[in-house]
Amino acid sequence: MLDVNIILCPTDFSKHALKAVETAEQLCHYLSATLLLVHVLPPVPSSTPISSTIQSGPPGYKDPPSTVDLSIGEYIKELTVDAEKKLEDIKENKIKKDIEVEIEALNEGSEAEEINRLADERKVDMIVISTHGKTGLKEVFLGSVTEKVIRHAQ
């Protein structure tokens, strides 16, 4: 049998990525490996604060909407907390309890670079990644995250 201790599975929470999580779960169960479930936050521009208008009550409420200003750091923190909640939900509701699962929300770089950096840092034995998730014309010119992870994985 293969000597696999850690399987990394990145997710963007798409249906294709969740299928990869199912596959990673099965492999972890069969190989008695730890599942490292990861989400890389989208890039956030660093030059301006983020402002959002929030209605303080239900539609038709008489008070005027209020504006909430977040610094980039606060916005990234909110994105991280949201991603961690989604990862925790997958861990609790989609993965068998007999599998050891670790979760990470990363925000330091591009998706492929962060996945490969974490794989190297944690000495990951296998990466299970979907080939569909985010799609679009960008992939035609730049290549998919999956392709970049495969090309640079050690």
Side-chain angles (χ1 to χ4, degrees):
M1 187 179 320
L2 290 173
D3 186 26
V4 176
N5 297 310
I6 301 174
I7 298 175
L8 186 150
C9 185
T11 181
D12 61 3
F13 308 111
S14 68
K15 68 178 184 176
H16 297 289
L18 293 177
K19 285 298 232 182
V21 170
E22 288 177 19
T23 301
E25 174 199 29
Q26 292 169 358
L27 288 165
C28 286
H29 180 75
Y30 179 73
L31 299 168
S32 299
T34 297
L35 176 59
L36 180 53
L37 192 57
V38 177
H39 176 72
V40 181
L41 300 174
V44 177
S46 59
S47 59
T48 58
I50 294 158
S51 180
S52 177
T53 301
I54 301 174
Q55 182 69 40
S56 53
Y61 191 71
K62 301 296 180 205
D63 282 352
S66 58
T67 300
V68 175
D69 291 318
L70 297 174
S71 71
I72 296 300
E74 291 169 330
Y75 181 64
I76 290 171
K77 184 176 180 181
E78 290 294 321
L79 288 175
T80 303
V81 167
D82 183 57
E84 288 171 345
K85 284 180 184 175
K86 289 177 180 176
L87 291 167
E88 195 64 42
D89 181 60
I90 292 170
K91 176 182 174 179
E92 294 299 319
N93 298 308
K94 306 266 187 220
I95 298 181
K96 293 180 181 115
K97 302 299 180 215
D98 65 331
I99 296 172
E100 184 179 341
V101 181
E102 297 176 23
I103 60 173
E104 294 238 10
L106 307 171
N107 64 7
E108 284 123 22
S110 78
E111 294 160 321
E113 288 171 358
E114 284 301 293
I115 292 164
N116 283 318
R117 181 193 60 77
L118 184 62
D120 289 343
E121 182 180 289
R122 295 291 306 274
K123 299 189 182 348
V124 165
D125 300 298
M126 184 183 295
I127 299 173
V128 177
I129 186 170
S130 67
T131 58
H132 295 292
K134 295 180 190 175
T135 59
L137 192 57
K138 179 176 97 173
E139 284 186 23
V140 173
F141 297 106
L142 300 177
S144 72
V145 171
T146 301
E147 189 270 334
K148 289 177 185 174
V149 168
I150 292 168
R151 189 173 350 129
H152 294 101
Q154 302 273 332

